[in-house]
Amino acid sequence: MTRRGTAKLVALATVAATVGAALLVQAGTSTAQPGKPIARGNAYGEWRHWGADQWSTRYSPLEQITAQNFDSLQVAWEWKGGAFGKDEYYRTTPLYANGRLFTVASTRRVATALDPSTGETLWMYRLDEGIRWQKAPRQFAGRGVSYWTDGTRERVLLVTPGYHLVSLDAKTGKPDAAFGKSGVVDLMEGLGYPMVPLAVDDSGPLIISDAAPYRKAKPGETWDPVKKIGADGTVGIESQIAASSPAMVVGNVLIVGNSSIHGYYPIKASNPIGTVRAFDIPTGRLLWKFNLIPQPGEYGADSWKNGSKQGTKGVGKVDAWAPYAADEQLGLVYIPVGMPLMDEYGGHRPGDNLFGNSLVALDVKTGKRKWHFQMVHHDIWDYDAPMAPNIMDVTVDGRARKVVAQPTKQGWLYVFDRATGEPIWPIEEKPVLQSGVPGEKSAPTQPIPSKPAPYSQQGLVEADLIDYTPAIKDSALALARKCRMGPYYIPPAANDGKDSTGFRCAWYAPGASGGVNIDGGATVDPETGLLYLASITGLSTTALANDPCSEFAYSSPAANCGLIGALPAPAGYKRPENVGFAGRASGSMIGGISIVKPKEYGGITAYDMKSGDKAWWMPNAGFIKQTSRDPIWSGVTIPPLPGRGQAQAITTKTLVIYGTGRSGGLPGEPAKLFALDKKTGKQVGALEIPAKTTAVPMTFLHKGDQYIVFATGAEENTSLVALKLPRKR
């Protein structure tokens, strides 16, 4: 028996032994209430989608928890996800539907159902994927599952680390026999690559970005259970592909994307192209497929000047790895698309590279492109579209508009008419700095939104620099001029002295983490037309290098030589120092103080989407006092620094509620959950919690109680924590 598609439904007795689970029970009944119809694909009091609803509003109309009682919230239960195995950090947002919570845990992506009142495990499911799991490029719990019901049948839909799609009965956790093959669809099938027996030469996971992969098994090759190498019966394509976000449910259609390897410093100059596919939820039948790198003859193929055919050198990635949003009434799904291969160098892929870095609106029934907008041409900054767009109905300049707003890493919110793709406010193509890296041909212009104003530091110009004393100003300017400066989209520089600009580094703001990234993003208030955007801000540098053991001319400094799958090291090769991202930000400090003036960036920015104007701003958790022992700061009052990290926010009828994120919060302060007044941003609550949030929270109504649930922790210490108000006596 092979491991391909082999399901292991672990017995509930095992669950009980490991996590103190209750026996399998039918939990609760629907919270849908008369007079409160399903809105945006979500029942009142439920949280059926990763972003609460199909519009990814991250909004709930619940109002039991208010400014007056927020600080009275208590821990109702804590569920130990770490009992199912380790994780990098816990980034799941659970779903609540028809009286049950649904979530995932561990790098195995174990799907579970929980009793919302107690946190007890009702069922669990795990698919044994053999070396496809071992070498998965996104080997973590994922961000959650998807939920579907036709009013009678209920399904939980799981995309596994090894890229299988599983349909589970939401009541029992058993695979749906009518779906695919015994409840499983192999998502590697149908991508245009042959399915082959796979083997490994080591027992470890894939190394960032694509070293030590699996390979095609040799004839007659078997598994060595001692060394844990060889062929274990697993079948797949001979290249890594995965998914890192839940699929999108629109009616009876499930829309599934993919994630590629990380693009920091890959070895191979081609990999699978990104695709978006739709499946019929009752049967698992493929409905359509959309290529995110247009193949020859398809719209946009000419934006790849060296050719776009799958397998061509330089062609790969462009993966829609973030969550999606949809408007079921318009019949459109909105796909935020990632960047091409690789992150900071594109000499191997001249052209604008559609549909990289785009928002693409697809017809849910046919998969045909309705419209698209490319937010970054020929990306060399790692500016993936990292988050689901937010959909709103709002009156702009007296005109009712159907709006879709896309948060980005580059610090702009791009806002469109979601039916036509027309920008709500002008977006102008403006000339930008050109690359001096050998072989690179950067885009001459980039689209710059006129509104809303940016929410993160962009580039670095002299006016951004601290100038509290003449000596500080001179020192900041001297430091700034060591790397290439500019207002935005500063191309990376090569550190080998061959860059035609004469620079060996370039300033990088926002960096690869944003702006907005998957940990932050936006939440909206459908009633007031306000959008609340949680972001970070910062300043670092780029300095590209040549790694002779990869197939690329330049990348982030890397040391691939000697790794499985890398090219052989040349004679006299010496391993470089400071590989990876170490030290990128340290060069922007004077005595530990950033050379950039503190601004109202990062934290939470509220935009009035009726006008595109900023309504208010609040730092993440507050301000950090800055001190320095450097003599240059003697006698200078150093302004406080806004709290770091990406806040993780949701909106209710009464409040904006947020956690600080895993790198947020104030030094020395306990972990807290905060509540803000929606209209003013004023803090109206701050509740101490067991640990920092590591993913976007969610809220729901169960048996008369409003709960807030959030993920926290890393490695074997991952948990879901549920809060609710104390019972009145």
Side-chain angles (χ1 to χ4, degrees):
M1 182 178 181
T2 70
R3 293 189 182 223
R4 179 185 176 190
T6 301
K8 286 189 177 179
L9 183 60
V10 180
L12 260 295
T14 303
V15 179
T18 56
V19 293
L23 293 176
L24 179 64
V25 294
Q26 302 280 333
T29 57
S30 174
T31 58
Q33 298 183 14
K36 294 182 178 181
I38 288 178
R40 305 178 294 276
N42 195 40
Y44 178 84
E46 299 196 351
W47 193 284
R48 292 187 175 185
H49 296 262
W50 182 89
D53 50 34
Q54 290 174 338
W55 288 19
S56 195
T57 62
R58 285 154 54 167
Y59 168 83
S60 171
L62 298 178
E63 51 189 329
Q64 190 178 101
I65 298 171
T66 66
Q68 288 70 40
N69 61 26
F70 182 85
D71 288 353
S72 300
L73 285 166
Q74 297 176 350
V75 173
W77 49 260
E78 184 173 357
W79 180 80
K80 299 293 187 180
F84 295 98
K86 293 183 179 182
D87 200 357
E88 181 187 5
Y89 69 93
Y90 202 24
R91 61 196 84 184
T92 183
T93 297
L95 306 185
Y96 174 82
N98 199 22
R100 300 175 192 83
L101 273 175
F102 304 104
T103 192
V104 286
S106 87
T107 60
R108 297 280 185 176
R109 212 167 290 178
V110 178
T112 60
L114 309 181
D115 184 314
S117 297
T118 64
E120 294 182 28
T121 302
L122 305 177
W123 56 254
M124 64 160 289
Y125 172 91
R126 191 187 87 183
L127 188 68
D128 184 352
E129 299 180 286
I131 58 178
R132 266 177 60 170
W133 166 78
Q134 179 189 338
K135 297 297 185 179
R138 306 281 170 167
Q139 199 190 73
F140 53 79
R143 298 182 173 92
V145 293
S146 308
Y147 171 84
W148 170 85
T149 182
D150 61 1
T152 302
R153 295 172 293 178
E154 294 180 86
R155 298 291 180 263
V156 170
L157 298 136
L158 169 72
V159 183
T160 67
Y163 208 42
H164 292 91
L165 173 61
V166 186
S167 179
L168 305 171
D169 186 299
K171 297 177 182 177
T172 67
K174 295 180 179 179
D176 178 3
F179 183 90
K181 297 177 182 178
S182 302
V184 180
V185 169
D186 192 331
L187 292 172
M188 285 190 180
E189 293 183 345
L191 293 177
Y193 291 87
M195 299 286 287
V196 300
L198 300 175
V200 292
D201 295 312
D202 70 316
S203 60
L206 187 74
I207 299 173
I208 293 176
S209 286
D210 57 346
Y214 50 56
R215 55 170 172 81
K216 183 178 179 179
K218 301 170 186 176
E221 188 172 6
T222 59
W223 183 250
D224 185 327
V226 177
K227 296 181 179 179
K228 296 183 178 180
I229 59 174
D232 69 347
T234 300
V235 177
I237 67 172
E238 199 178 351
S239 191
Q240 276 68 32
I241 194 168
S244 56
S245 294
M248 186 72 207
V249 173
V250 189
N252 290 333
V253 178
L254 186 75
I255 296 106
V256 183
N258 72 274
S259 303
S260 297
I261 61 165
H262 291 286
Y264 309 141
Y265 23 79
I267 294 172
K268 303 297 183 183
S270 67
N271 63 27
I273 68 171
T275 62
V276 178
R277 287 178 286 177
F279 295 88
D280 177 64
I281 294 176
T283 66
R285 178 173 59 90
L286 177 68
L287 300 175
W288 51 258
K289 172 186 169 187
F290 183 83
N291 294 320
L292 292 171
I293 297 181
Q295 293 304 280
E298 295 179 348
Y299 177 91
D302 59 351
S303 69
W304 294 77
K305 301 303 183 184
N306 283 355
S308 63
K309 186 177 180 180
Q310 184 164 279
T312 301
K313 182 178 179 179
V315 172
K317 214 166 177 286
V318 188
D319 48 340
W321 55 267
Y324 307 155
D327 185 329
E328 191 165 359
Q329 187 175 15
L330 288 178
L332 297 177
V333 60
Y334 302 91
I335 310 297
V337 185
M339 68 168 299
L341 183 72
M342 53 175 284
D343 285 358
E344 295 171 355
Y345 179 74
H348 48 281
R349 49 171 171 85
D352 281 352
N353 307 137
L354 285 176
F355 289 95
N357 308 85
S358 299
L359 181 62
V360 181
L362 300 178
D363 186 290
V364 171
K365 291 183 178 179
T366 67
K368 300 295 184 182
R369 180 185 59 89
K370 178 73 172 182
W371 61 263
H372 80 278
F373 188 93
Q374 189 176 48
M375 294 166 287
V376 184
H377 309 314
H378 187 82
D379 184 11
I380 47 176
W381 297 274
D382 190 13
Y383 284 164
D384 295 90
M387 177 56 68
N390 306 95
I391 294 176
M392 306 175 70
D393 287 338
V394 65
T395 299
V396 181
D397 297 328
R399 177 185 171 191
R401 302 298 300 267
K402 293 180 179 294
V403 166
V404 58
Q406 179 64 60
T408 63
K409 288 184 178 180
Q410 55 266 33
W412 274 298
L413 183 70
Y414 296 76
V415 189
F416 309 97
D417 183 297
R418 68 179 183 269
T420 66
E422 174 193 1
I424 297 297
W425 297 286
I427 301 176
E428 182 182 352
E429 290 283 344
K430 293 187 177 182
V432 291
L433 296 174
Q434 295 299 286
S435 175
V437 176
E440 183 66 88
K441 186 171 177 57
S442 54
T445 65
Q446 295 290 352
I448 309 299
S450 58
K451 280 188 173 184
Y455 45 82
S456 297
Q457 175 71 32
Q458 293 177 322
L460 185 69
V461 297
E462 188 170 339
D464 295 323
L465 302 175
I466 51 178
D467 55 2
Y468 308 129
T469 68
I472 289 173
K473 180 178 180 180
D474 290 345
S475 297
L477 186 57
L479 181 56
R481 286 175 174 168
K482 290 182 178 180
C483 298
R484 194 176 184 189
M485 300 173 67
Y488 37 62
Y489 292 112
I490 308 170
N495 69 2
D496 58 5
K498 297 179 181 179
D499 196 298
S500 64
T501 66
F503 288 99
R504 291 177 178 263
C505 59
W507 291 108
Y508 194 20
S513 296
V516 160
N517 210 337
I518 188 66
D519 288 347
T523 176
V524 305
D525 186 350
E527 298 179 9
T528 63
L530 289 175
L531 180 147
Y532 310 97
L533 199 144
S535 67
I536 58 174
T537 193
L539 179 68
S540 60
T541 59
T542 54
L544 305 186
N546 172 258
D547 174 19
C549 295
S550 81
E551 297 178 357
F552 297 92
Y554 288 93
S555 69
S556 296
N560 286 311
C561 293
L563 299 177
I564 298 173
L567 299 178
Y573 171 79
K574 293 183 179 180
R575 190 181 190 277
E577 298 179 357
N578 299 320
V579 297
F581 303 111
R584 280 193 171 193
S586 60
S588 63
M589 303 283 185
I590 298 175
I593 307 298
S594 173
I595 61 174
V596 177
K597 296 173 184 174
K599 305 183 183 76
E600 289 190 352
Y601 285 154
I604 297 179
T605 306
Y607 293 107
D608 185 342
M609 299 303 285
K610 298 185 294 295
S611 64
D613 297 329
K614 186 168 80 171
W616 51 259
W617 172 83
M618 282 291 288
N620 185 9
F623 289 93
I624 300 171
K625 183 180 179 180
Q626 295 195 96
T627 60
S628 177
R629 294 182 178 180
D630 193 303
I632 199 171
W633 293 100
S634 178
V636 176
T637 301
I638 306 174
L641 190 69
R644 301 182 178 93
Q646 296 220 23
Q648 298 164 328
I650 62 173
T651 311
T652 68
K653 180 86 171 179
T654 56
L655 299 167
V656 172
I657 299 169
Y658 78 91
T660 63
R662 57 197 168 106
S663 60
L666 303 183
E669 289 285 320
K672 292 180 181 179
L673 194 71
F674 294 90
L676 305 179
D677 182 280
K678 293 194 297 184
K679 292 183 180 180
T680 66
K682 179 183 177 182
Q683 183 175 304
V684 294
L687 178 75
E688 189 171 332
I689 54 178
K692 294 179 180 180
T693 60
T694 52
V696 175
M698 52 85 72
T699 187
F700 60 90
L701 186 68
H702 181 70
K703 295 183 178 179
D705 290 320
Q706 182 182 354
Y707 290 78
I708 297 172
V709 173
F710 59 88
T712 186
E715 296 298 326
E716 66 276 0
N717 297 313
T718 58
S719 298
L720 291 179
V721 178
L723 307 174
K724 72 171 186 175
L725 295 170
R727 289 278 189 177
K728 294 182 179 179
R729 296 184 179 182

